[in-house]
């Protein structure tokens, strides 16, 4: 029975960098099922901050393909690109609290310092070496407008962070060991995914985040940001990733089965869900 007074609010947060594929469909379906079971609602957030990779035609395709699949959300769609002042305010707050510092190291410097090979995924980036940090007592330069260098969050080395994931159960990570200082703002004057996500989940009043397990580690970064910004963090439910018959993550395959292609091949959403 639906509880009409439920305060459950979830969100779907795709990035319009390509067509939606089966992996998105499965995670978003789970998000919808959880919202329904709780008698709550879902919002759709368009994570379009990566201007080099996001394209307007993918926003339209995303809306159409997700609807075709049977997903619904409360309109309007919320575009992150329209919310920059909100992220900038959060950045100023982090700056005032001394949680961040300007970083002049390149991605290449960090990769060269990393011991293990690395797949280039922001969420599983190599640990940023503590030796690259400025000293804690170094004076903090002011934030410029526009921002022309990277700003990183200084993680509390050695602190064990934990949360209970709705699907995977208790999760733990040690700051500075399992993940290091991470970007909050980029030198091309754009907020990082981590910062925008935390600010939005709080501002939108999201009670539970349902998303792919590739973001499990990012949750620890986001919990640190929530704490620094004195925000209430949502609950988290991470979904196992969809892989193909060779164990390759769909999102990493160039020919990932897009919902659009499945639809063109006359597959129906019911049929697709029945195969899960
Ligand atoms: N836009 C992010 C992505 O597509 C997901 C954000 C999230 O669910 O927190 O990977």
């Amino acid at each position: 029975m639906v509880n009409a007074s439920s305060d459950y609010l979830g969100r779907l947060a795709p990035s319009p960098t390509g067509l939606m594929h089966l992996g998105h469909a499965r995670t978003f379906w789970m998000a919808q099922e959880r919202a329904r079971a709780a008698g709550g609602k879902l919002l759709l957030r368009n994570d379009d901050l990566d201007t080099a990779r996001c394209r307007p035609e993918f926003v339209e395709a995303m809306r159409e393909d997700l609807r075709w699949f049977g997903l619904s959300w409360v309109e309007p769609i919320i575009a992150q690109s329209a919310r920059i002042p909100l992220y900038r305010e959060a950045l100023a707050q982090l700056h005032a609290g001394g949680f961040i510092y300007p970083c002049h190291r390149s991605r290449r410097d960090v990769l060269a310092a990393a011991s293990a090979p690395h797949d280039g995924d922001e969420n599983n980036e190599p640990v940023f070496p503590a030796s690259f940090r400025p000293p804690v007592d170094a004076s903090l330069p002011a934030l410029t407008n526009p921002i022309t260098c990277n700003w990183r969050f200084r993680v509390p080395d050695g602190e064990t962070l934990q949360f209970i994931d709705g699907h995977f159960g208790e999760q733990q990570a040690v700051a500075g060991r399992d993940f290091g200082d991470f970007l909050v703002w980029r030198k091309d004057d754009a907020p990082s995914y981590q910062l925008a996500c935390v600010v939005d989940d709080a501002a939108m009043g999201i009670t539970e985040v349902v998303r792919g397990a590739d973001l499990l580690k990012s949750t620890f970064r986001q919990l640190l940001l929530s704490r620094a910004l004195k925000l209430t963090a949502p609950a988290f439910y991470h979904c196992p990733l969809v892989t193909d018959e060779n164990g390759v993550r769909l999102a990493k395959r160039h020919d990932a089965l897009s919902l659009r292609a499945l639809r063109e091949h006359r597959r129906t959403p019911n049929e697709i869900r029945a195969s899960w």
Side-chain angles (χ1 to χ4, degrees):
M1 205 182 100
V2 170
N3 166 12
S5 64
S6 166
D7 58 3
Y8 183 105
L9 186 62
R11 84 313 193 260
L12 312 175
S15 301
T17 55
L19 292 171
M20 297 289 102
H21 57 68
L22 273 181
H24 296 110
R26 190 140 116 177
T27 299
F28 293 168
W29 191 256
M30 176 57 80
Q32 179 158 294
E33 296 271 275
R34 289 188 65 79
R36 275 199 183 145
K41 293 188 174 123
L42 271 185
L43 301 176
L44 178 63
R45 191 176 78 208
N46 170 14
D47 281 6
D48 61 349
L49 290 177
D50 184 350
T51 44
R53 294 171 62 225
C54 293
R55 301 224 303 261
E57 59 269 33
F58 288 134
V59 180
E60 223 17 71
M62 162 172 113
R63 179 200 296 270
E64 213 179 283
D65 295 347
L66 296 181
R67 282 232 181 278
W68 168 77
F69 193 71
L71 293 159
S72 48
W73 53 86
V74 180
E75 296 280 353
I77 294 179
I78 297 156
Q80 289 195 315
S81 56
R83 297 162 69 83
I84 304 286
L86 214 62
Y87 313 137
R88 182 64 206 228
E89 217 174 281
L91 182 75
Q93 211 179 317
L94 293 174
H95 183 267
F99 291 103
I100 56 174
Y101 60 88
C103 170
H104 301 283
R105 296 289 181 163
S106 67
R107 207 177 154 71
R108 189 182 298 185
D109 292 339
V110 180
L111 288 175
S115 45
H118 177 253
D119 65 5
D121 180 341
E122 172 191 346
N123 301 297
N124 290 308
E125 64 189 11
V127 176
F128 185 79
S131 59
F132 284 4
R133 285 172 168 166
V136 186
D137 55 5
S139 73
L140 194 60
L143 291 171
T144 55
N145 197 6
I147 285 190
T148 52
C149 73
N150 287 329
W151 284 81
R152 280 184 191 266
F153 186 92
R154 185 189 293 264
V155 303
D157 283 345
E159 183 180 335
T160 301
L161 298 156
Q162 31 194 326
F163 69 96
I164 310 284
D165 185 75
H167 177 82
F168 289 101
E170 190 174 323
Q171 302 295 307
Q172 270 198 9
V174 177
R177 186 195 75 188
D178 299 322
F179 66 97
D181 295 355
F182 56 89
L183 282 182
V184 290
W185 210 276
R186 296 172 201 288
K187 60 178 189 245
D188 59 356
D189 200 25
S192 73
Y193 153 67
Q194 310 292 353
L195 181 66
C197 182
V198 166
V199 169
D200 278 342
D201 285 336
M204 291 157 67
I206 301 302
T207 60
E208 183 179 71
V209 166
V210 178
R211 61 187 177 192
D214 52 324
L215 292 166
L216 266 171
K217 202 187 268 183
S218 279
T219 305
F220 296 107
R221 300 182 180 105
Q222 293 174 14
L223 288 172
L224 284 175
L225 278 176
S226 291
R227 186 169 81 186
L229 292 166
K230 300 191 168 57
L231 299 171
T232 307
F236 293 95
Y237 184 104
H238 288 85
C239 302
L241 298 176
V242 182
T243 55
D244 68 9
E245 60 287 359
N246 301 315
V248 177
R249 257 183 70 191
L250 280 192
K252 301 263 173 200
R253 273 179 44 167
H254 298 305
D255 62 343
L257 293 176
S258 69
L259 295 183
R260 191 143 285 211
L262 291 165
R263 179 175 166 191
E264 276 157 12
H265 286 92
R266 306 241 174 277
R267 298 281 306 275
T268 67
N270 271 338
E271 217 179 30
I272 294 169
R273 285 192 290 273
S275 69
W276 289 344

